[in-house]
Amino acid sequence: MTATAPLPVVPQPSEIDLRRLFQTQRDWRWRAAQTGAAERQAILRRLHDAIRGGRMALADALALDLGKSRAEAEITEIHPVLEELQFVIRRLPRWMAPRRVSTPLMLAGAHSEVQLQARGVTLILSPWNYPVNLALSPLVASLAAGNTVVLKPSEKAPNVSRVLRELLERVFEPRLVAVVQGDGAVAHTLTTLPFDHIFFTGSGEIGRKVMAAAAQNLSSVTLELGGKSPAIVHPSAELKTAAERVAWGKLLNAGQTCVAPDYVLLPENMRDAFVLEVDAVIARRYGDRAWLRAGPDYGRMVDAASVERLQKLTARSVEGGARVALGGEFDPPSRFISPTVVTDVTPGMPLMGEELFGPVLPVLTYRSFEEALALVRQLDPPLALYLFAEDEGAIEQVKQETTSGGMVVNGAVIHLTNPHLPFGGVGPSGMGNYHGEHGFRTFSHERAILREPRPSPVRLMYPPYGRPLPRLTAWALRLLERQAGPRE
């Protein structure tokens, strides 16, 4: 768990190289778009088999880059992608089939349908925190939709980036799938190219830059960002369950999860008991301080700078009156932060000023439930919202009076494992969604197709409009409006 990631020297592709690669995929995009369901299923099966065959190399790379145990790598990275592939392969023919839709009376005799069409050349910019899952899941969706793909993994997970490139180069020709390695300058150059769709997962700050660059070419975008996802504990909640599930969601991947609970809101009289329960969960799940470092269950921060950032936010909040109730050990050279709970936090403190993305959990208290919901609404809409409550009225109130990308009642994080549910943010936490059919549609253009019959009623609407037929048609349409009655 203390291994550090060797940084292989990666040659930076030039702008000329990137433009040449883009043109190669643009030349192939119509061939890719014309593939049928069976061809796309075969492509996805090849990817499935390659991931299964390369799972050891992927797990080893995840251990080097993020200190992930083999079990955590399987549970959070490798298996979800294989499950997504199987889900998509089984349902793809039905998703691809044109969908017949109704035609209004004034177009009687016409045939109307919606065709799902590949967008074309797509760019996926994936992050470092789940560098396998969040690179390959959108890749699955884009290939299912019949696109070509340029994948740019994060340079902060260099070992995973290298293994992904080797794995995908064994499966695909660059005209269909190409992996580009490099730093932020390479990513920026890619976003200036006229891709048909850009899929970005990362911070809101970089997401704004991606969107601005895409606007120059009118490229459509999907932005999977983040934010401060709250865990709200209602007085009716079962406290032990809330502590167990909040702690698991917060400490998964050492807190470097876009949907991790970012802070807890609970009644004042439940605070101390909650902290004690979280302390017991940490001891039971991860062990004491020595075992936290030596054991295989607790991950590492991606770099020393991430440790230093959270250390400063915590120290400045303590200076303002907060208190470290649990943990508080920050070791930048080892990329280690002990599971840390900070109490007496107020909304204006540094720990509440930005997404934490690490194993530091601020605990805020409230006197009334309405006060808690007002604070949630005061902040940007989060990627996820977690409510712990047994009171059905409270559950319905949170559904109606807050917004978020997703919501889990009496749990945390797990909603993104259901391929039937859309996963994505709202406002500053993201734009668009994916997983399952939602991902297939994200990477598809819904094309409207109407076939007008030879004897068509539309000719009744041709000018000159002083003729009897157009005037009679206009009268008949007004009559139909009256017969239809008021709007529902």
Side-chain angles (χ1 to χ4, degrees):
M1 299 296 291
T2 59
T4 57
L7 299 176
V9 177
V10 177
Q12 295 279 107
S14 67
E15 182 175 349
I16 294 174
D17 294 332
L18 297 176
R19 289 187 178 278
R20 186 180 296 120
L21 174 61
F22 176 84
Q23 189 59 48
T24 297
Q25 292 209 349
R26 173 170 274 184
D27 292 342
W28 187 251
R29 64 89 80 205
W30 288 111
R31 175 64 186 87
Q34 292 169 41
T35 51
E39 289 176 271
R40 295 185 195 177
Q41 286 173 315
I43 288 170
L44 295 174
R45 288 191 186 100
R46 293 208 313 269
L47 177 58
H48 181 276
D49 293 346
I51 295 169
R52 289 189 64 184
R55 67 195 320 158
M56 284 295 293
L58 290 168
D60 290 344
L62 287 164
L64 285 171
D65 288 337
L66 290 161
K68 289 195 180 188
S69 68
R70 176 67 190 275
E72 186 174 337
E74 287 285 346
I75 292 168
T76 65
E77 299 263 17
I78 299 168
H79 176 74
V81 177
L82 294 174
E83 190 75 18
E84 179 84 359
L85 275 161
Q86 293 171 358
F87 185 88
V88 172
I89 289 169
R90 286 195 296 268
R91 293 163 176 79
L92 187 57
R94 176 167 54 84
W95 297 346
M96 288 179 64
R99 186 173 77 254
R100 178 80 181 266
V101 296
S102 300
T103 303
L105 184 60
M106 63 183 294
L107 299 176
H111 175 94
S112 303
E113 68 178 34
V114 178
Q115 175 196 34
L116 275 295
Q117 189 176 50
R119 288 189 180 273
V121 187
T122 62
L123 171 64
I124 296 171
L125 301 171
S126 62
W128 53 262
N129 59 322
Y130 289 88
V132 174
N133 189 337
L134 299 182
L136 295 181
S137 288
L139 174 65
V140 170
S142 189
L143 290 175
N147 300 294
T148 65
V149 185
V150 175
L151 169 63
K152 164 64 176 70
S154 172
E155 68 277 10
K156 284 193 172 185
N159 294 283
V160 172
S161 178
R162 173 182 53 80
V163 172
L164 282 176
R165 180 170 186 170
E166 293 170 355
L167 185 151
L168 294 174
E169 283 181 346
R170 289 195 296 269
V171 181
F172 302 114
E173 295 182 17
R175 63 189 182 184
L176 181 61
V177 176
V179 178
V180 173
Q181 293 178 278
D183 59 16
V186 172
H188 172 72
T189 300
L190 285 168
T191 61
T192 65
L193 300 178
F195 282 93
D196 297 294
H197 190 75
I198 299 176
F199 188 104
F200 169 78
T201 304
S203 70
E205 177 188 359
I206 304 300
R208 288 179 172 86
K209 294 179 180 179
V210 170
M211 191 171 182
Q216 301 306 307
N217 296 304
L218 296 180
S219 301
S220 58
V221 296
T222 299
L223 302 178
E224 296 294 338
L225 307 177
K228 297 189 74 65
S229 297
I232 307 170
V233 181
H234 186 263
S236 68
E238 207 291 303
L239 194 62
K240 186 171 184 176
T241 299
E244 175 89 37
R245 295 176 184 179
V246 168
W248 174 74
K250 182 64 175 178
L251 300 179
L252 187 69
N253 198 32
Q256 299 166 116
T257 303
C258 58
V259 290
D262 199 85
Y263 64 99
V264 173
L265 271 170
L266 80 174
E268 290 179 335
N269 63 354
M270 297 175 74
R271 183 196 64 187
D272 293 343
F274 178 81
V275 173
L276 288 174
E277 290 289 354
V278 170
D279 192 20
V281 170
I282 294 169
R284 185 166 65 251
R285 299 297 181 194
Y286 300 98
D288 60 20
R289 289 179 58 187
W291 186 245
L292 268 171
R293 285 180 174 270
D297 300 310
Y298 187 65
R300 295 293 179 268
M301 301 296 286
V302 69
D303 54 29
S306 298
V307 179
E308 292 166 354
R309 181 182 69 87
L310 283 172
Q311 186 174 21
K312 289 177 183 176
L313 292 174
T314 302
R316 286 166 53 204
S317 296
V318 169
E319 290 170 3
R323 182 177 68 88
V324 175
L326 296 175
E329 185 180 355
F330 298 85
D331 184 353
S334 298
R335 300 184 290 145
F336 176 83
I337 301 176
S338 61
T340 298
V341 176
V342 184
T343 59
D344 301 327
V345 176
T346 58
M349 288 182 175
L351 281 172
M352 291 299 293
E354 59 188 81
E355 183 180 7
L356 298 181
F357 224 63
V360 177
L361 181 67
V363 175
L364 290 78
T365 59
Y366 62 83
R367 291 187 175 89
S368 70
F369 197 55
E370 287 68 25
E371 177 188 337
L373 298 189
L375 174 59
V376 171
R377 292 193 297 264
Q378 175 185 324
L379 301 175
D380 287 338
L383 185 55
L385 184 150
Y386 306 118
L387 171 65
F388 292 86
E390 298 301 324
D391 185 313
E392 291 298 327
I395 294 171
E396 193 60 32
Q397 183 180 3
V398 174
K399 287 181 183 178
Q400 298 299 327
E401 297 184 15
T402 65
T403 187
S404 60
M407 176 178 171
V408 181
V409 179
N410 292 324
V413 178
I414 58 171
H415 60 298
L416 58 83
T417 65
N418 184 351
H420 298 278
L421 289 173
F423 177 72
V426 55
S429 61
M431 176 184 300
N433 50 57
Y434 71 121
H435 286 180
E437 186 175 2
H438 307 284
F440 172 76
R441 291 186 176 276
T442 286
F443 282 98
S444 300
H445 165 59
E446 289 193 280
R447 188 184 197 183
I449 299 177
L450 186 143
R451 178 179 295 184
E452 186 175 356
R454 187 180 295 267
S456 172
V458 177
R459 62 187 173 80
L460 302 177
M461 295 179 262
Y462 293 165
Y465 294 113
R467 292 184 303 117
L469 271 179
R471 292 170 62 189
L472 180 63
T473 301
W475 173 82
L477 291 174
R478 291 196 299 272
L479 182 63
L480 286 172
E481 289 175 10
R482 289 197 295 271
Q483 288 181 344
R487 294 180 181 227
E488 294 181 0

